[in-house]
Amino acid sequence: MHMLLVEDDDRMAQALATALTRRGHTVRRVVRAAEALRYAREAEFVLLDLGLPDLDGLELLRKLRTVCDLPLIVVTARGEERDVLQGLRAGADDYVVKPFRMAELIARIDTVRRRTSAPEPAAAERRVRTGDVLIDPAARTVTVDGAEIRLTRREFDVLALLAAHPGDVRSREEILDRIWGDAFLASSRSLDVHVAGIRAKTGRAALISTVRGYGYRLGPGTPDALDADAPDGR
């Protein structure tokens, strides 16, 4: 892959670039947010430090998500839980705290790469409506009362997976394995954050029901599967 490394620490950047190059990747290292925005469209994967000289990394992450949907892992010294949650909510596919083992980071890169290059987990032919929420897996769109809602790639994948089998409860382990690609490396807390993001962005807290101690389901009502060729099911 062609990887964009956004890192202002020279020693860390050199170590990362060396490890990635040895594994066959090409690496463009940039220091400033403006450079990251300039070169993002040429990359296939982004590693993003949050401590940048010209812009906070979280703000850069939000800007990147408005122009591209590249696989992206935050690699940072900010390790408090609130920092991790903010990074995931802003659209990071994963979050790695410094110091870290290089083998772990490589494993996480491989996991995110497999997930983002694999077929969509719920690419069903049928749209699903629950209340005033319409989920279209083929078009990867979600509308609430006729207005399209912008979800991150992973938020949509979670919602589409639940919508693929309306009414069925999906276990946390299954969702983590299907969406994150590796239930061992993925954080169960990450799943909670993405479900909370879906609820907040749609403004429909009851869109996804929590089955305590097990997992999630699309709910609370029984969703209607709509024929993909029929406009809004009519």
Side-chain angles (χ1 to χ4, degrees), residues 89-166:
R89 287 173 180 147
D93 291 295
D94 204 346
Y95 195 106
V96 176
V97 178
K98 301 174 183 176
F100 55 86
R101 294 183 178 181
M102 193 64 70
E104 178 188 354
L105 176 61
I106 296 300
R108 290 181 180 273
I109 290 172
D110 290 343
T111 295
V112 171
R113 182 187 186 186
R114 285 196 302 270
R115 185 189 63 78
T116 55
S117 62
E120 299 300 338
E125 295 180 357
R126 302 173 75 83
R127 295 174 294 168
V128 171
R129 181 188 294 280
T130 176
D132 61 354
V133 179
L134 178 63
I135 305 159
D136 188 336
R140 293 186 64 79
T141 59
V142 179
T143 58
V144 178
D145 195 21
E148 186 171 342
I149 303 300
R150 181 178 178 84
L151 300 180
T152 68
R153 179 180 59 244
R154 188 164 282 179
E155 286 171 345
F156 185 87
D157 287 346
V158 171
L159 183 58
L161 178 61
L162 296 175
H165 299 279

Side-chain angles (χ1 to χ4, degrees), residues 36-53:
L37 289 168
R38 182 185 312 156
Y39 294 114
R41 294 185 183 278
E42 302 175 13
E44 296 175 273
F45 203 107
V46 180
L47 296 180
L48 173 64
D49 182 27
L50 298 183
L52 303 177

Side-chain angles (χ1 to χ4, degrees), residues 78-89 95 97 190:
R78 300 182 193 175
E80 297 293 329
E81 182 180 17
R82 64 179 181 180
D83 297 318
V84 177
L85 297 183
Q86 286 177 342
L88 294 172
R89 287 173 180 147
Y95 195 106
V97 178
S190 298

